[in-house]
Structures are given as C-alpha cells and as structure tokens.
Amino acid sequence: AQSVTQPDIHITVSEGASLELRCNYSYGATPYLFWYVQSPGQGLQLLLKYFSGDTLVQGIKGFEAEFKRSQSSFNLRKPSVHWSDAAEYFCAVGAGYSSASKIIFGSGTRLSIRP
Amino acid sequence: KAGVTQTPRYLIKTRGQQVTLSCSPISGHRSVSWYQQTPGQGLQFLFEYFSETQRNKGNFPGRFSGRQFSNSRSEMNVSTLELGDSALYLCASSLDSSYGMNTEAFFGQGTRLTVV
C-alpha cells in the first residue's frame, strides 16, 4: 500500500542551526513527492516537489530535499533556520491524475525554533 | 491572482445536521480536491472533481459528497453530522491533467467545522 512515514513528530532546533526532516515513502511506481508547510490555522503551502530528473531539488524559503530511491527517502533540509520557519511540515506522495488529487500525506513533523 | 477561496472559514453544527462547504479554485484550474484534517487521522483525501465529474474518491462514507459546477467551483456536503466529523476541511486546486503532475496544487485556508 502507498504510504508516507515521517518518524519525527516534533523537532526543536536553535535559530541559525541546520535542519533535516526525515521522510520515507512506499509507492509502487515512480513517486511524485512533495513537501508542504502549514502554519497554525492556515492551509498548506508547497515548499518543493520532485517528479523526475535531478535528485536534489530546491524549493522556496531556502529549503531543499534529496530524493534517494535506494532508501525510499525524501528528506527536507535547510542550512540555517529562522524563527519564522516554526510550523508543521508534511511530506507527501501524489497518487492521482493531477497534483491536487489523491495526495497521501505523512503525519507531519512540528518544528519549533529555540531563540 | 486570487488564491483558493473557501467559505465559510468557521462553522458550528449540531450532530445530525447537514453542512455544505464551498471552494472557489484559482481561475483556470479545473481540478478541485477536498481533504479532511484531524489530529487523530491527519490529512486524508476525500474526493476530486474535474470537469464537473468525480474523478477520484477516498475512503469516506457516503455521507460525504460533493459536486463541481461549470465554473469549476466546488461544494462538499456532509449529511447526518457526527462528532467525529469535526475537522479542518481543505480544498486544493490545480491545472487539469493535460499538465500532469508537473504543476503546483494550491490549498485554501480551510473551513473549520465543529460538530457539537
């Protein structure tokens, strides 16, 4: 069955420190992978996506992610976090006909920033 | 351009009632999907509408239904509300399937439904 696993429920990092959020997926075919961010009371914003090609993808707000097929992973990284990065982050795989359809989300990782 | 608009933002309903939520996609987007977000189950796909037809459906009971109009606006309806239906309902839109997956899905801010 298709699934996405985010093993870390909550992570706290100091402002200015580097960040890595883990994501593992299970999907039979070539996966369409996404990272979304959600601030409290808000909808979801796409940070970056991977469909094919270069396995290191750049996103908005200084985030990047690396697709590793051999490890079924798509970890999100940022070299230096800012207090405004505090939010919930969702890794997801697309299983539908369009990029909005049938997205399978992980359970999310809540990121807190220590001043 | 205007984003995905969901109305209302907040709703309080009584168990047993029904509710209708509305979603206006970004202009030109023909695919509209609905998601339910709860603390216990996380984000779950409800259904997708494209060209006024339901194209994909998640694993929800028949009390959850939807429709799409010719202008791509979509509504979802929940009948016979249960306490467990309390959730944030999110709508997402994207360009149609001829663009495949290589487009971005845009989410609305959601409708917070509370069933009492």
Side-chain angles (χ1 to χ4, degrees), chain B residues 9 14 21 35 44 48 56 59 62 67 75 78-79 108-109:
Chain B
R9 289 292 311 278
T14 303
L21 313 181
Y35 291 83
Q44 294 184 286
E48 179 207 8
N56 266 312
N59 189 26
R67 59 177 174 169
E75 291 180 345
V78 188
S79 63
Q109 291 188 297

Side-chain angles (χ1 to χ4, degrees), chain A residues 20-40:
Chain A
E20 182 169 28
L21 302 183
R22 295 182 293 164
C23 173
N24 291 94
Y25 67 89
S26 173
Y27 192 72
T30 301
Y32 298 101
L33 296 162
F34 310 92
W35 274 98
Y36 285 91
V37 61
Q38 185 179 36
S39 298

Side-chain angles (χ1 to χ4, degrees), chain B residues 20 26 40 49 63 68 80 95 99 108:
Chain B
T20 299
I26 291 173
Y49 284 86
R63 299 186 297 107
Q68 187 179 35
T80 320
L95 289 170
Y99 291 89

Side-chain angles (χ1 to χ4, degrees), chain B residues 17-75:
Chain B
Q17 288 186 315
Q18 75 166 14
V19 67
T20 299
L21 313 181
S22 178
C23 171
S24 294
I26 291 173
S27 178
H29 285 193
R30 295 167 63 194
S31 169
V32 176
S33 294
W34 289 88
Y35 291 83
Q36 182 196 63
Q37 184 176 26
T38 61
Q41 299 299 315
L43 281 152
Q44 294 184 286
F45 171 70
L46 280 155
F47 31 64
E48 179 207 8
Y49 284 86
F50 177 76
S51 290
E52 303 177 60
T53 301
Q54 188 180 88
R55 186 164 65 173
N56 266 312
K57 187 177 188 305
N59 189 26
F60 278 81
R63 299 186 297 107
F64 292 82
S65 63
R67 59 177 174 169
Q68 187 179 35
F69 301 94
S70 58
N71 62 358
S72 293
R73 189 177 72 84
S74 177
E75 291 180 345

Side-chain angles (χ1 to χ4, degrees), chain A residues 3-5 22-27 31 33 66-75 91:
Chain A
S3 65
V4 177
T5 301
R22 295 182 293 164
C23 173
N24 291 94
Y25 67 89
S26 173
Y27 192 72
L33 296 162
E66 186 171 12
F67 170 62
K68 294 185 177 180
R69 186 186 297 275
S70 61
Q71 298 176 20
S72 297
S73 69
F74 188 56
N75 294 348
C91 180

